[in-house]
Amino acid sequence: MDKMQTNITTLENEKLPQNFTNIPQFDKTLARVELFSVPVMAVFGIIGNALSCAIFSTKPLNKYSLSFLLLCPSLSDIEFLTMLLIHWASSVFDLHLNEMYRACQILFSLTYVFECLSVWLVTLFALENCLRLYTRFYAKKICKRRNAKVITACMTIAIGCIYSYPFWTVGKDCIPMENYHGLIKAMAYVDSALTMFVPTTIMILASIASVISFNKSRERRRKRSASSTTSDDLLRQATLMVCVVTLTFILLNLPAHASRIRLIHMHAMVGAQLSKTESVFQVIAQLIFYLSPAINFVIYYSFGRKFRVSFNETVLRKRTRRHDNTALNANLLVNY
């Protein structure tokens, strides 16, 4: 595992925890925090995402394409957190799974696939919500559950092909083959583009468009009728949901990607080593990164009114007063 950490994980992969005892001047206290926080976040995230999947699979949420686009990231995040937990257990209990030829390849490939797939499904969610706010006519034709399933299937195949490179670039003992070091380094930049910079740009633009569309819609409704409180509330919550998802994604993912790019540049410098401050920042950034797939349920429950109502009635068996918004939901958008 140490060799793999030095050659791949430390430099090109911020997805899985590192063997921090090998990092110069590393703070042992922070290492202990990492030791206990990773399984806590992983277990919390797996349970939360499982609950989210269950809620999105029940009526009335299971009728909409937006529910499917949030259900699939929850499934993907469960797999990612499972990979994280396996890696943690291998490191803590000396299972040496990373030193097994096929196990190492599968572990790293699936970790990339699940994380990238989750990011792009959330991006599609932001785009579809924006489309529903911006133009209802085309949204009715395009935003269908069947179309969401087809897009997700095609996306999964494409991402699987892109991140298949560990199967032919990593040799025995989980050590990268020398003639593929350049490719692995290049793929680190590709991964940052695919899982951070491109989707972030799209989600920011979608958020801005959603806010603009909401303001225009509110002004139109005010001119037509003074009694548009319920409609405005639905639009406001949908816009807020997109903005919260975008902001959370940026805050939790950007530090880890910045840290990884910094490590790649340091690797190109002969004799360069991490300072204590940089080592601490690297660990903190990585722990923050693990929060991203772990807190989906918290976001859905806090900002999704329909999700919260369904959860209270399905899981907590708590009766919640329902408002008859059937006609509004059919004509406006799905609000989570």
Side-chain angles (χ1 to χ4, degrees):
M1 175 180 172
D2 295 347
K3 293 179 180 179
M4 184 61 185
Q5 294 296 131
T6 302
N7 288 284
I8 290 184
T9 308
T10 303
L11 299 174
E12 283 84 22
N13 185 14
E14 281 288 335
K15 314 296 183 187
L16 296 173
Q18 304 171 18
N19 187 351
F20 295 114
T21 57
N22 290 337
I23 298 178
Q25 298 180 318
F26 183 71
D27 189 343
K28 298 296 182 181
T29 302
L30 201 55
R32 287 193 289 270
V33 172
E34 184 265 350
L35 178 66
F36 293 103
S37 60
V38 167
V40 170
M41 285 189 289
V43 173
F44 176 81
I46 290 172
I47 295 174
N49 282 302
L51 290 173
S52 298
C53 291
I55 299 303
F56 286 127
S57 300
T58 58
K59 295 180 180 181
L61 299 183
N62 62 352
K63 297 185 297 183
Y64 308 111
S65 58
L66 281 174
S67 290
F68 183 79
L69 291 177
L70 290 179
L71 184 150
C72 289
S74 296
L75 287 173
S76 184
D77 287 338
I78 288 175
E79 301 298 333
F80 173 83
L81 293 169
T82 301
M83 295 296 106
L84 176 64
L85 203 56
I86 291 173
H87 185 96
W88 174 86
S90 176
S91 301
V92 173
F93 300 108
D94 294 326
L95 301 179
H96 303 291
L97 294 179
N98 284 353
E99 295 179 6
M100 298 179 185
Y101 182 48
R102 290 300 177 188
C104 167
Q105 293 174 330
I106 294 173
L107 181 64
F108 278 92
S109 180
L110 290 181
T111 301
Y112 278 114
V113 168
F114 291 135
E115 200 268 337
C116 185
L117 181 61
S118 177
V119 169
W120 277 100
L121 286 169
V122 173
T123 303
L124 285 179
F125 163 77
L127 284 174
E128 181 170 329
N129 230 338
C130 175
L131 184 62
R132 288 177 178 273
L133 286 163
Y134 192 75
T135 168
R136 295 176 224 161
F137 177 75
Y138 290 107
K140 290 180 181 180
K141 293 185 175 182
I142 299 174
C143 303
K144 297 180 179 179
R145 192 177 178 90
R146 183 179 63 180
N147 293 341
K149 290 180 179 180
V150 173
I151 293 173
T152 301
C154 294
M155 189 181 299
T156 302
I157 294 173
I159 293 174
C161 293
I162 293 173
Y163 290 111
S164 64
Y165 70 91
F167 290 102
W168 44 274
T169 60
V170 177
K172 293 182 178 180
D173 297 325
C174 223
I175 300 176
M177 300 177 187
E178 289 188 15
N179 51 329
Y180 289 118
H181 280 180
L183 175 62
I184 294 175
K185 182 178 179 180
M187 287 303 298
Y189 289 105
V190 172
D191 177 67
S192 291
L194 288 178
T195 60
M196 181 63 204
F197 301 113
V198 175
T200 296
T201 302
I202 295 174
M203 283 192 281
I204 289 175
L205 293 176
S207 299
I208 294 173
S210 297
V211 172
I212 294 174
S213 179
F214 166 70
N215 290 330
K216 289 182 177 180
S217 178
R218 184 174 59 178
E219 290 299 323
R220 287 195 299 265
R221 292 180 182 281
R222 283 180 177 177
K223 291 179 181 179
R224 293 176 186 174
S225 173
S227 58
S228 59
T229 306
T230 305
S231 301
D232 285 347
D233 183 60
L234 288 172
L235 291 170
R236 186 184 300 108
Q237 289 187 39
T239 305
L240 177 62
M241 186 67 173
V242 174
C243 293
V244 169
V245 169
T246 301
L247 182 61
T248 302
F249 175 79
I250 294 173
L251 292 178
L252 298 183
N253 286 267
L254 184 59
H257 284 275
S259 175
R260 179 167 59 167
I261 292 175
R262 167 62 176 164
L263 286 171
I264 294 174
H265 284 290
M266 287 191 65
H267 179 58
M269 301 169 59
V270 180
Q273 288 187 339
L274 287 174
S275 66
K276 184 174 182 179
T277 302
E278 289 173 325
S279 299
V280 171
F281 174 77
Q282 181 189 5
V283 180
I284 294 175
Q286 199 167 18
L287 293 177
I288 293 174
F289 172 79
Y290 297 149
L291 280 175
S292 184
I295 63 171
N296 292 331
F297 175 81
V298 177
I299 295 175
Y300 301 152
Y301 190 87
S302 300
F303 299 95
R305 185 181 59 82
K306 282 199 169 187
F307 180 90
R308 185 166 56 250
V309 169
S310 296
F311 178 82
N312 289 341
E313 294 186 349
T314 304
V315 179
L316 301 181
R317 304 296 180 183
K318 178 181 177 181
R319 290 184 174 273
T320 307
R321 183 181 178 184
R322 289 180 176 271
H323 296 278
D324 187 13
N325 291 323
T326 304
L328 289 173
N329 292 336
N331 294 325
L332 293 175
L333 67 154
V334 181
N335 172 41
Y336 298 95

